[in-house]
Amino acid sequence: MIVGIDLGTTNSAIAIWRDGRAELIPNALGDTLTPSAVSVAEDGSVIVGMAARDRQSTHPNATATAFKRYMGTRQTVQLGATVFTAEDLSAVVLSSLKIDAETFLGEPVTGAVITVPAYFNDRQRKATRRAGELAGLKVERLINEPTAAALAYGIQTREEREPFLVFDLGGGTFDVSIVEMFDGVMEVRASAGDNRLGGEDFNETVIDLAKRRIDPDGALAAIDPVMLRELLRAAAERCRRRLTEAEEAPFTVTALGRDFSTTITTSEFEAQAAPLLARLREPVLRSLRDSDIRVDSLSEVILVGGSTRMPAVRRTITRMFGRFPSAAVHPDHAVALGAAVQAGLKARDAALDEIRMTDVCPYTLGIDHSVADGRGGFRHGIFSPIIERNTPIPASRVGWYQTIADNQRQLEIQIYQGEAREVQGNVKLGTVRMPVPAGRAGEVGIEVRFSYDTSGLLEVDVAVPLSGTQRNLVIVDDEDAPDKAEIAARRDVLAALKRHPRDESHNRAVLARASRCYEAFIGDRRDLIGTWITQFEAALATQDPRIIDPARAQFDAALNDLEGDRYL
Ligand code: ADP
Ligand code: MG
């Protein structure tokens, strides 16, 4: 069975294509969203999802979140005795989702379609692919999140040339894409965005508003800064979610034996968030410009990502487009459901057989070249684009160049990815070196062909027609990629990590939450939580689900009364 997975910065979700429709798969807690959080317990076992998210404030040094931001980099984080890359942590999340799906389906999951932000570059895409493989999944395909969302909205069943604009505001990234069907082919006409804008940034604005008010004397400075950050973040998240439903909401941090509290109103929040709301505009305009599509010819504006639930965001969008956006498919689920649609296509489900997918190149790909400076010399280090950003892929394009010096014997072609005019500002992907035949400057022609395919691989062919010399370079972004032995070693490390029995996840999640609350509250409320923990532990000791299950439900409800409904 092939599954579709939305591997998000904040939350992940998994779905399948079954009986002609996409269906979400719940995790061990019965939730359809699994926080992309990993924590390592004192006994060395790994915890994934909500329980890990709840340990963020109590065990900040043993817990990792938002690691998708470091995907494809060498950055590591040590949790307990194990050092992880973002790729490893993603693999841990993916394998947890895989287990959830196998439990739900009662059959093995073999392959997956995994979504990535439209802005992910080669390196990040390859890292995602490896994460899937480390989790024991055959990665059938990576697709852009907005493409998946458009599939969830059934773009493939609509008339031709009905452009959808996908507006995806998640926890840490913002993506705008224009997706269209033409000649039975799905096409991403443009993608733009800001991979540093999401719900977390809105949390920062709430913290900016609240911090001085709750703590005018700077008393909170006495707390461990990592812990304080987490407490403030959690308070902001809760406050902001309340503001989605209400005109005002409390912002409370319990620490140092007391409550630090204030109330934030919708209008205060929206005024403070105005600069962030303003940043939503430019990527929308750019996507319309790049695709040459007018706002009034968009068939749908669809909302994706948990942060599009904020009324201020919806209002900004409505004003921007002069109409209400569609949210018929829940914005939290659209990407995973669309990935499952694509998994269904992959499995040759008859209903969608006709659809062929294309994607776009998320960045411009080109080479370093020198241009005449008009005074007899050259300016070096200038980027020469070969495949432009937003070109539908697979794409193959040729660039023509000449030697710049008399009797130049050697050619060095540096391949870059990015939008900057000078190569320095772009990401270097690789180098091709080759000899060239002697000749006068400008007389030896060089043909550089780039082929970029849907799996994100770039193939570079360089030819010098005069001498017939050719060079070929594939997988150019592998410079610091791990080799086979390294991948095998990491697979062993991950496989050796102890996991808690899945059927105990629920109990563990409630206990993790209770411990967080115990640390956060004081006085009577803390004593009360302590008593509940003891009672629940007694229930667990009976090992009888008929006693444990109702005790857990009661415990969870009591915690809800205390701190408000828990959030993902
Ligand atoms: P990602 O794609 O980054 O994994 P999601 O699409 O799951 O993220 O969105 C997560 C973000 O959605 C979080 O920043 C969260 O604060 C925000 N969010 C979820 N529900 C709400 C809500 N009810 N009100 C405001 N923001 C919300
Ligand atoms: Mg997302």
Side-chain angles (χ1 to χ4, degrees):
M1 177 66 88
I2 304 173
V3 293
I5 297 177
D6 170 7
L7 182 62
T9 310
T10 321
N11 298 303
S12 296
I14 181 165
I16 44 156
W17 182 261
R18 189 157 78 164
D19 303 330
R21 54 182 283 271
E23 189 182 342
L24 284 159
I25 296 175
N27 62 22
L29 307 183
D31 298 328
T32 48
L33 288 188
T34 297
S36 307
V38 175
S39 188
V40 173
E42 289 70 11
D43 66 358
S45 59
V46 282
I47 303 166
V48 179
M50 196 61 199
R53 167 68 48 82
D54 268 334
R55 284 169 56 87
Q56 177 104 59
S57 58
T58 51
H59 302 81
N61 299 321
T63 307
T65 55
F67 37 82
K68 186 174 170 184
R69 286 196 186 244
Y70 310 116
M71 199 68 156
T73 73
R74 287 165 172 274
Q75 188 155 336
T76 56
V77 46
Q78 178 160 4
L79 308 178
T82 314
V83 173
F84 296 90
T85 59
E87 206 171 300
D88 298 330
L89 293 165
S90 303
V92 170
V93 171
L94 288 170
S95 78
S96 171
L97 296 171
K98 177 174 184 270
I99 293 167
D100 289 336
E102 288 174 342
T103 310
F104 182 76
L105 297 167
E107 63 174 287
V109 167
T110 47
V113 171
I114 303 177
T115 61
V116 290
Y119 262 64
F120 258 24
N121 65 14
D122 277 356
R123 202 178 290 266
Q124 294 161 305
R125 282 167 197 257
K126 285 202 191 115
T128 305
R129 194 172 268 280
R130 279 195 302 268
E133 280 152 16
L134 282 171
L137 291 164
K138 178 167 184 283
V139 182
E140 300 285 350
R141 220 192 128 128
L142 299 179
I143 59 170
N144 287 334
E145 289 162 9
T147 309
L151 285 173
Y153 269 86
I155 191 172
Q156 68 279 17
T157 63
R158 302 278 283 263
E159 292 289 307
E160 296 258 290
R161 294 252 140 147
E162 284 201 26
F164 281 33
L165 185 139
V166 182
F167 187 105
D168 181 351
L169 188 63
T173 52
F174 174 44
D175 279 299
V176 183
S177 293
I178 296 180
V179 185
E180 194 179 75
M181 279 262 297
F182 183 56
D183 257 359
V185 176
M186 257 251 310
E187 204 176 282
V188 177
R189 291 281 306 273
S191 68
D194 186 335
N195 51 19
R196 298 262 153 203
L197 180 60
E200 288 305 322
D201 303 276
F202 286 85
N203 284 344
E204 289 304 317
T205 68
V206 175
I207 294 172
D208 288 345
L209 260 181
K211 192 150 180 239
R212 228 164 315 124
R213 285 204 227 156
I214 62 169
D215 185 28
D217 313 323
L220 289 171
I223 302 180
D224 169 58
V226 179
M227 181 84 87
L228 177 60
R229 196 90 281 280
E230 227 355 87
L231 288 173
L232 289 169
R233 199 203 74 85
E237 178 77 24
R238 218 183 319 276
C239 173
R240 196 165 55 79
R241 284 176 184 244
R242 275 285 189 89
L243 288 174
T244 291
E245 316 292 333
E247 282 305 307
E248 57 175 50
F251 179 103
T252 307
V253 169
T254 309
L256 302 171
R258 65 187 173 98
D259 277 352
F260 294 78
S261 195
T262 186
T263 299
I264 307 278
T265 66
T266 307
S267 56
E268 282 169 342
F269 167 58
E270 292 181 6
Q272 186 80 12
L276 294 179
L277 295 168
R279 278 166 66 193
L280 297 173
R281 196 176 176 81
E282 174 52 32
V284 169
L285 293 178
R286 203 168 83 215
S287 68
L288 291 167
R289 208 163 50 225
D290 283 354
S291 60
D292 222 358
I293 288 174
R294 291 201 329 268
V295 175
D296 52 12
S297 46
L298 290 172
S299 294
E300 300 267 358
V301 173
I302 65 180
L303 297 186
V304 176
S307 298
T308 61
R309 292 207 227 164
M310 282 186 279
V313 169
R314 294 208 172 181
R315 237 177 291 122
T316 304
I317 296 169
T318 305
R319 219 174 294 132
M320 221 179 328
F321 293 99
R323 70 165 114 168
F324 292 104
S326 324
V329 179
H330 197 296
D332 284 348
H333 301 150
V335 173
L337 291 171
V341 172
Q342 173 69 351
L345 291 174
K346 193 83 201 171
R348 301 225 181 99
D349 188 293
L352 294 166
D353 239 12
E354 297 303 298
I355 311 293
R356 186 157 60 84
M357 298 278 301
T358 59
D359 249 338
V360 294
C361 187
Y363 283 110
T364 301
L365 298 164
I367 65 166
D368 176 12
H369 81 320
S370 303
V371 292
D373 64 5
R375 284 167 297 158
F378 286 96
R379 272 205 62 195
H380 302 291
I382 303 299
F383 186 51
S384 169
I386 295 180
I387 296 183
E388 299 274 3
R389 179 190 69 189
N390 286 326
T391 302
I393 51 176
S396 189
R397 297 275 188 283
V398 177
W400 288 95
Y401 304 89
Q402 300 98 35
T403 49
I404 57 166
D406 287 343
N407 287 323
Q408 181 177 338
R409 301 311 304 268
Q410 177 76 19
L411 197 63
E412 188 174 290
I413 303 214
Q414 319 237 30
I415 297 128
Y416 285 88
Q417 174 181 62
E419 310 306 324
R421 192 174 110 81
E422 298 189 1
V423 292
Q424 240 185 326
N426 295 326
V427 181
K428 185 165 164 190
L429 301 179
T431 306
V432 176
R433 289 189 188 83
M434 67 194 293
V436 284
R440 299 255 299 278
E443 282 190 349
V444 181
I446 302 142
E447 183 192 302
V448 182
R449 176 178 290 277
F450 275 18
S451 307
Y452 192 70
D453 75 5
T454 46
S455 61
L457 295 188
L458 176 65
E459 186 164 356
V460 178
D461 292 289
V462 184
V464 177
L466 197 63
S467 59
T469 324
Q470 297 192 356
R471 288 284 185 280
N472 171 275
L473 183 66
V474 199
I475 317 178
V476 288
D477 195 21
D478 258 0
E479 274 178 333
D480 49 11
D483 58 26
K484 278 212 175 80
E486 231 176 300
I487 294 176
R490 293 217 327 261
R491 195 191 308 262
D492 290 345
V493 168
L494 296 182
L497 289 172
K498 212 172 6 142
R499 288 187 182 253
H500 272 268
R502 189 175 184 277
D503 54 9
E504 287 170 20
S505 317
H506 234 136
N507 301 335
R508 162 168 283 274
V510 177
L511 278 174
R513 180 187 186 193
S515 310
R516 171 172 59 70
C517 292
Y518 184 86
E519 295 206 9
F521 289 100
I522 47 156
D524 292 350
R525 287 180 298 176
R526 169 176 275 201
D527 293 343
L528 199 56
I529 298 166
T531 313
W532 293 341
I533 292 176
T534 314
Q535 284 171 353
F536 186 56
E537 280 169 349
L540 286 178
T542 66
Q543 298 190 358
D544 181 351
R546 283 168 306 179
I547 293 173
I548 296 172
D549 293 351
R552 187 184 57 234
Q554 205 181 357
F555 194 6
D556 215 22
L559 290 170
N560 280 347
D561 285 345
L562 202 69
E563 67 159 3
D565 280 359
R566 70 174 198 175
Y567 59 84
L568 282 175

